[in-house]
Amino acid sequence: MPTTLPVPIEFSLPDDWRAAPPDEVGASDAAFVALHPHPDSGFTANITIDGDFMADGTTLEELADASAVRVRAMAETAEVVGRRAIGSPGAPGLTQRLTLSAVVAGVHRDLVQTQVYMTLQDTGDPHRRAMIRTVLTATAAQHDSVLGDFQDFLRTVRPDTKAAD
């Protein structure tokens, strides 16, 4: 069963990307999955969204470190090749890029994963912080060509204030 997000969000998919049921594409830990229309050598670039409430004192760097550990456990190799803070003091965020080699559906793949962590205040309890993680996974060869779509997508992600009504 797909994960639910800790706070409602809204967004717009890039042209031609399509939503897919997380369970049907093997991403049951995601709340949302979008697939690129043109696979690269049999691998479909994808965007996933998940999230949770952050425990008091937890930093985005700690969450990104934990994510890198999970990726390393599933991959043959994985390396964090970039990380930087984004956002503002009131709404901090973090981006992290990993390169990895993994066997996917029986085929060895060189992949790149760009992870973006955003924090949002819980509208029901302003003392609680929610973290939304949005991840682009693509082959190393295709990553740079779909990165612009991912960045366009990220610009549309925001709290869904209508859902709170």
Side-chain angles (χ1 to χ4, degrees):
M1 169 169 236
T3 303
T4 58
L5 294 174
V7 293
I9 62 171
E10 61 182 2
F11 51 83
S12 298
L13 282 176
D15 289 342
D16 298 328
W17 287 70
R18 64 177 176 83
D23 283 340
E24 291 180 20
V25 295
S28 59
D29 55 344
F32 179 82
V33 175
L35 303 174
H36 189 263
H38 306 291
D40 177 39
S41 301
F43 183 86
T44 302
N46 59 81
I47 296 170
T48 60
I49 303 174
D50 64 33
D52 206 346
F53 286 106
M54 294 176 63
D56 285 342
T58 302
T59 67
L60 292 174
E61 290 79 6
E62 290 169 328
L63 295 173
D65 287 343
S67 180
V69 167
R70 282 190 303 280
V71 170
R72 284 184 189 108
M74 296 182 300
E76 295 171 340
T77 64
E79 179 181 354
V80 175
V81 295
R83 184 184 284 179
R84 68 182 173 88
I86 58 171
S88 65
L94 182 91
T95 64
Q96 172 170 274
R97 183 173 295 188
L98 296 97
T99 57
L100 58 133
S101 294
V103 175
V104 180
V107 178
H108 176 83
R109 306 273 183 197
D110 290 326
L111 303 173
V112 177
Q113 198 172 80
T114 299
Q115 304 175 343
V116 177
Y117 297 79
M118 296 177 265
T119 57
L120 301 170
Q121 236 179 8
D122 179 9
T123 55
D125 181 355
H127 295 83
R128 293 193 336 161
R129 291 182 308 150
M131 179 277 300
I132 303 295
R133 177 178 45 210
T134 308
V135 179
L136 169 67
T137 305
T139 63
Q142 190 180 35
H143 183 268
D144 289 350
S145 68
V146 296
L147 183 59
D149 282 352
F150 184 58
Q151 291 166 332
D152 290 344
F153 171 77
L154 290 169
R155 284 190 270 283
T156 72
V157 176
R158 64 187 149 280
D160 185 354
T161 54
K162 293 181 287 295
D165 293 341

